[in-house]
Amino acid sequence: MFTAPRGIDDSVVQLHLEHRLVKRLLGRFLAQGFVHDDLSRALLGQSADAIPRVILLGRLSLYGAGAVRLHQEILTVTAQWTDPASRKGVLSPYKRSAEQHTLALLEDAMRPAAGASVPDTVRSKLLAAMPRDIEELLVHLEARGEEHRADAEALLQKRATAESEALRTVLVDQKARIQKELASADDPQKTFGGDFTADEEKQRQLDRRAWQRFLDRVDDDIAREPQRIVDFYAVQSYRIEPVGIAYLWPLTN
């Protein structure tokens, strides 16, 4: 879970995102998703709800230059499940409220000892229907992915603009401050009449040379570095792919 525990004792273990176990688990989802005939990422659970439900999980990934991953998020499409033998048309995705309820049921179903095992007959029926279910829900997953892609690209662009302008402001302020320091470096009020030791004078000369080197290149940095940030956040490619499917079977059935 991603919320703070009520208390810490020997029964609770806290892991951070860089922990080897966490990275190994997350690595399964960072890798390529499955194709339609690869059903290794499937979950079958039971819920107290009376409606059979199906959840297709997908992943949206946005990449920048050099295949750098800029953004990643999990997408879901939920629907009421019906047997293909009696299905009229295709599966129809739930709206927002029904989807939130379905996802809450999914979380409950994944808790330890959430419910009894699903009968083998039901398991076989769902396994046989899985390729068709994925095919029918995939078009909705891709459409939802396109919507989220547009939102994510807008946020990345906003972040790029903010960071590039912040960097430009820092460089311009540093330039003005150093120019002021150089202009007043020999001011008697700052040099105390030039009464410096040899080491102090050497440090003053080193500082002045370092400031001058900064001023020699700062205009190029102001022109180049903010644009590099904008280019870094520019989306070059993206992928929308299924990564798993889950079924919720009513306990009453």
Side-chain angles (χ1 to χ4, degrees):
M1 59 183 177
F2 292 93
T3 55
R6 294 182 179 178
I8 300 295
D9 54 32
D10 292 341
S11 66
V12 177
V13 177
Q14 289 185 298
L15 303 176
H16 53 82
L17 291 178
E18 293 300 317
H19 191 282
R20 286 181 294 175
L21 173 61
V22 177
K23 294 179 71 173
R24 183 175 180 181
L25 293 173
L26 292 178
R28 293 175 60 89
F29 295 94
L30 295 175
Q32 184 175 349
F34 58 45
V35 292
H36 297 184
D37 57 348
D38 181 358
L39 307 179
S40 60
R41 290 177 182 166
L43 169 70
L44 176 56
Q46 287 193 297
S47 69
D49 191 76
I51 301 174
R53 301 170 188 260
V54 57
I55 304 100
L56 180 64
L57 295 98
R59 178 178 58 222
L60 167 66
S61 302
L62 303 183
Y63 302 93
V68 174
R69 184 181 287 112
L70 299 176
H71 175 80
Q72 183 169 268
E73 65 179 291
I74 296 296
L75 309 172
T76 57
V77 175
T78 62
Q80 179 176 343
W81 186 84
T82 56
D83 193 327
S86 58
R87 186 178 302 173
K88 298 179 180 179
V90 297
L91 294 173
S92 178
Y94 280 136
K95 301 299 182 182
R96 181 181 297 272
S97 59
E99 176 160 304
Q100 291 177 344
H101 179 59
T102 301
L103 295 178
L105 292 173
L106 177 62
E107 290 188 12
D108 291 338
M110 290 190 295
R111 298 182 187 278
S117 60
V118 178
D120 291 339
T121 54
V122 174
R123 190 185 304 270
S124 300
K125 181 190 300 185
L126 295 175
L127 185 63
M130 196 178 298
R132 176 175 171 179
D133 295 342
I134 295 174
E135 192 71 34
E136 293 180 3
L137 293 177
L138 187 59
V139 61
H140 301 287
L141 180 72
E142 292 172 344
R144 186 162 299 180
E146 291 292 345
E147 295 176 0
H148 285 243
R149 177 178 70 88
D151 293 340
E153 287 188 359
L155 290 174
L156 287 170
Q157 185 177 17
K158 182 178 180 181
R159 180 175 179 179
T161 300
E163 291 188 7
S164 64
E165 290 302 321
L167 178 58
R168 187 187 306 278
T169 299
V170 168
L171 293 174
V172 170
D173 289 346
Q174 283 182 332
K175 177 183 177 181
R177 186 167 60 252
I178 290 176
Q179 286 176 327
K180 183 178 180 180
E181 289 289 340
L182 276 175
S184 61
D186 296 324
D187 188 336
Q189 292 185 346
K190 289 190 174 183
T191 60
F192 302 101
D195 188 14
F196 292 105
T197 65
D199 288 340
E200 290 173 338
E201 181 60 28
K202 181 180 179 179
Q203 185 60 52
R204 288 182 70 241
Q205 295 302 322
L206 289 174
D207 289 342
R208 294 185 68 167
R209 285 197 291 269
W211 292 342
Q212 190 59 55
R213 286 196 299 270
F214 174 83
L215 292 177
D216 290 341
R217 67 172 188 273
V218 68
D219 288 335
D220 289 339
D221 289 343
I222 292 173
R224 182 179 61 251
E225 295 305 320
Q227 185 59 44
R228 286 182 60 184
I229 293 178
V230 173
D231 294 340
F232 174 82
Y233 283 108
V235 176
Q236 303 292 330
S237 61
Y238 70 95
R239 293 176 63 180
I240 302 171
E241 57 190 343
V243 296
I245 191 168
Y247 291 94
L248 296 177
W249 194 254
L251 283 169
T252 54
N253 289 357

